[in-house]
Amino acid sequence: MKQSIMAMNRLGALKGVMQRFAVVALVGAAFALMLLGKADTVAVERLRTTVADGVAPVLDVISRPAGSVADGVEYVRGLMHLYEENARLTAENARLLRWQMVARQLEAENDALKALLNYAPAPQASYITGRVVADTGGAFAHSLLMLAGRSDGLRKGQAVMTGEGLVGRVAEVGARASRVLLLTDINSRVPVMVGEGRQRAILAGENTDRPRLIYLPANAGVAPGDLVTTSGVAGAFPTGLPVGVVASVEDGVVRVAPYVQRDRLEMVRALDYGLDGILTGAALD
């Protein structure tokens, strides 16, 4: 028993000596490294490089989660940028397609004019601009109130437009305000031409956002994207006013997407071409 106790005491004393020796050894090693760093920078640089090579894989494993998070954030930012870029390019493509259709229509008109020897130019229009003060549309009517009337020179039947295209026609005229019948109203009938073949038809409103073409020849060859403009038949509207594009052709039913969106109308312009076809009992009224 006494021998075991003595052995444990010697072991504890030896452990204490080793700890003190380790502290002294570490201090000495640190001091030696400082002297070596001052005396031999090349050796210290090699040692630092060796340590860095050994620690780098460990740091790589530790940093992977943070790197994955950073990559995920960058990926989300890239998706947002792509979404914005796609929206911008889509809008730009729509504008370019519209200009392309306008150019095709002008090209077809130019070819038709070249075939004429005595072409009479269309009359210049006067116009009256007014603010849209109310939308009186609903389930059974698509119309709006324009803040301009008889006192401003407005007349019933005049074409109403925005910078994008035809809105409709003046249906009722008051002293200071007028009601405009929209293209989409069920009572609206507008003679139009469709596509490069300039097929004639009637754009009929149905109280929906997509009016349909009626009286279109069966072999017209109309396709989505074809330009729709006024034809000037019956003297209600002049020729060539932009109306919209063919939106769909299904089971013989051709629907048109107007350029003008009803819920975005703020300012409209009534054009006076000196036409009175709509006032003389034409089929459009």
Side-chain angles (χ1 to χ4, degrees):
M1 184 69 178
K2 291 182 179 180
Q3 292 179 354
S4 299
I5 294 175
M6 292 177 63
M8 290 178 64
N9 290 336
R10 284 196 294 270
L11 184 60
L14 180 61
K15 185 176 180 180
V17 172
M18 291 295 294
Q19 289 178 347
R20 288 193 292 270
F21 178 78
V23 172
V24 173
L26 289 174
V27 172
F31 186 71
L33 288 174
M34 292 175 60
L35 292 178
L36 183 62
K38 295 293 185 179
D40 192 351
T41 57
V42 176
V44 173
E45 183 176 354
R46 290 177 179 175
L47 178 61
R48 188 184 301 114
T49 304
T50 302
V51 173
D53 290 339
V55 175
V58 179
L59 295 178
D60 180 62
V61 173
I62 296 174
S63 64
R64 284 185 184 276
S68 300
V69 172
D71 292 340
V73 173
E74 189 64 28
Y75 179 75
V76 172
R77 289 179 179 175
L79 287 179
M80 294 177 62
H81 176 72
L82 288 176
Y83 178 80
E84 296 173 355
E85 184 71 10
N86 182 64
R88 186 185 66 81
L89 291 176
T90 300
E92 183 177 352
N93 185 59
R95 288 194 297 269
L96 291 176
L97 286 175
R98 185 178 302 174
W99 280 111
Q100 182 186 38
M101 289 183 291
V102 172
R104 287 178 177 176
Q105 191 270 337
L106 291 176
E107 182 180 8
E109 182 178 354
N110 185 52
D111 292 338
L113 293 178
K114 287 180 179 178
L116 300 177
L117 296 178
N118 298 315
Y119 171 68
Q124 296 295 322
S126 60
Y127 59 86
I128 299 170
T129 303
R131 183 178 299 276
V132 175
V133 295
D135 186 342
T136 60
F140 304 104
H142 282 204
S143 61
L144 55 85
L145 288 180
M146 174 184 178
L147 196 60
R150 193 178 300 106
S151 61
D152 302 299
L154 215 64
R155 295 190 306 115
K156 181 180 178 181
Q158 291 178 343
V160 179
M161 299 189 64
T162 66
E164 296 176 320
L166 185 65
V167 174
R169 62 178 175 85
V170 178
E172 297 176 0
V173 181
R176 295 183 177 84
S178 303
R179 187 172 70 90
V180 177
L181 191 71
L182 302 181
L183 295 175
T184 54
D185 189 273
I186 196 170
N187 296 308
S188 175
R189 297 291 186 273
V190 179
V192 295
M193 294 184 297
V194 188
E196 296 181 1
R198 302 169 72 83
Q199 296 288 344
R200 294 187 178 183
I202 299 293
L203 182 69
E206 293 184 337
N207 283 358
T208 66
D209 293 333
R210 294 290 185 267
R212 63 180 296 187
L213 293 177
I214 59 177
Y215 306 122
L216 185 68
N219 58 348
V222 174
D226 285 350
L227 179 67
V228 180
T229 60
T230 56
S231 66
V233 174
F237 298 97
T239 304
L241 297 182
V243 175
V245 295
V246 174
S248 63
V249 181
E250 298 178 358
D251 299 328
V253 178
V254 181
R255 297 198 175 273
V256 175
Y259 287 137
V260 178
Q261 297 185 23
R262 170 183 171 185
D263 57 348
R264 296 185 180 181
L265 293 174
E266 296 181 1
M267 301 290 293
V268 294
R269 176 173 293 178
L271 303 178
D272 185 4
Y273 286 90
L275 303 174
D276 56 0
I278 203 167
L279 302 177
T280 57
L284 302 175
D285 201 4

